[in-house]
Amino acid sequence: MNEQDIQEIRSRLKKARKHNIYNDRHACCWQGYLAALLEWDLISPNQHKKLSEEIPVDTPDPSINIFLGYE
C-alpha cells in the first residue's frame, strides 16, 4: 500500500474514535482487517504495528498469536 492508502486507513480509525464506537468486537474487526492486509503483503509488519497501535482496546490483539503461535 502506498502512503495515501495508509492515511485513508488512519482516517477511518480516527473517525471511529471520534464517534466513540469502539468496543471489543469493533476492535477485533479492525485487528482482523489489518491482519489480513499484513498476511496478503499489502502492508508491512511495521505499518501493521503502527496502525494496530491506533486501535483502542482493553485486551491484547489476538491476531499476533494466530500468526506466531500460542506457545
Side-chain angles (χ1 to χ4, degrees):
M1 287 192 147
N2 62 40
E3 189 57 33
Q4 184 177 3
D5 295 331
I6 297 298
Q7 290 303 321
E8 172 62 26
I9 294 170
R10 279 194 176 104
S11 173
R12 288 191 269 158
L13 285 164
K14 184 178 179 180
K15 286 177 186 175
R17 281 193 312 272
K18 179 181 176 184
H19 294 286
N20 199 27
I21 59 172
Y22 274 107
N23 56 42
D24 282 343
R25 284 183 46 171
H26 194 92
C28 187
C29 290
W30 270 107
Q31 291 166 345
Y33 175 70
L34 296 179
L37 294 176
L38 177 63
E39 185 168 11
W40 288 95
D41 292 323
L42 297 173
I43 60 174
S44 70
N46 190 45
Q47 289 170 320
H48 177 271
K49 182 180 185 301
K50 288 181 180 181
L51 289 168
S52 293
E53 290 170 352
E54 297 185 33
I55 301 171
V57 293
D58 294 329
T59 57
D61 179 357
S63 65
I64 300 304
N65 293 105
I66 293 168
F67 286 133
L68 302 178
Y70 292 93
E71 298 170 351

